[in-house]
Amino acid sequence: DARLKFASVDDLSECMEVEYLSHVDPLSPEIFLHLIKQKQILTCIIDDGAGVQVLGYIAYTYCDAELNILITRIAVHPSSRERGIGSMLMQHCIDNAGGGVNSDAFVEFVMIPNDAPIAAMPFLSHHNFRMHKHAGCVAVYRRCGGET
């Protein structure tokens, strides 16, 4: 069964594989390692008996005192797509916005259109994200607390 855990340094190479397969403009290993050390990368893993495999990840941080969440990256390994992995990762952020107690908390997803596949739009819509603001090459989608 797939489960969520914060990435460790040992997960870097598998996370980078998912990153390279999923993004046109991948983050560098140095930046990814920094995010891992800051506990800003949550992975979805499976242990098949032969070892742990990273199926996908989400990069996020709490962006203020109200514990609103800012998502900067999400990716699922191509061989694991369409199995609910991305939704499991996204739901973790939705459930933990506001520390799980502030129902007015929001989750924002920052997207750079040149790097995000068109497939991301239905995914965001499915999770009730709406365009919040657009500036230059950056689009911000927001899901407000209490939305189902």
Side-chain angles (χ1 to χ4, degrees):
D1 285 340
R3 65 183 174 89
L4 302 179
K5 78 168 192 76
F6 281 100
S8 69
V9 174
D10 295 337
D11 299 320
L12 179 62
S13 63
E14 285 195 62
C15 286
M16 290 309 304
E17 178 183 354
V18 174
E19 175 76 2
Y20 290 132
L21 291 170
S22 301
H23 291 281
V24 174
D25 189 17
L27 296 178
S28 70
E30 294 80 16
I31 291 173
F32 220 91
L33 183 59
H34 173 76
L35 294 173
I36 287 173
K37 289 180 178 179
Q38 297 297 312
K39 295 283 188 217
Q40 293 180 2
I41 302 285
L42 183 73
T43 59
C44 181
I45 62 165
I46 189 164
D47 188 345
D48 62 6
V52 174
Q53 177 187 358
V54 173
L55 305 177
Y57 68 83
I58 193 165
Y60 74 95
T61 188
Y62 291 101
C63 56
D64 56 26
E66 285 78 37
L67 300 178
N68 294 304
I69 288 179
L70 177 66
I71 298 169
T72 56
R73 213 79 169 166
I74 187 169
V76 175
H77 193 283
S79 66
S80 297
R81 292 182 184 155
E82 302 296 325
R83 294 177 27 202
I85 303 299
S87 290
M88 184 187 306
L89 291 160
M90 184 66 78
Q91 193 62 49
H92 170 85
C93 289
I94 291 167
D95 292 346
N96 286 283
V101 296
N102 178 2
S103 62
D104 293 327
F106 61 80
V107 179
E108 285 188 341
F109 183 85
V110 177
M111 184 166 25
I112 300 172
N114 291 343
D115 186 45
I118 298 298
M121 303 314 298
F123 177 78
L124 291 173
S125 179
H126 174 76
H127 290 284
N128 294 317
F129 281 79
R130 305 287 180 259
M131 173 66 78
H132 177 62
K133 56 187 165 185
H134 192 273
C137 67
V138 176
V140 178
Y141 292 82
R142 179 178 278 190
R143 181 189 192 281
C144 295
E147 292 183 8
T148 56

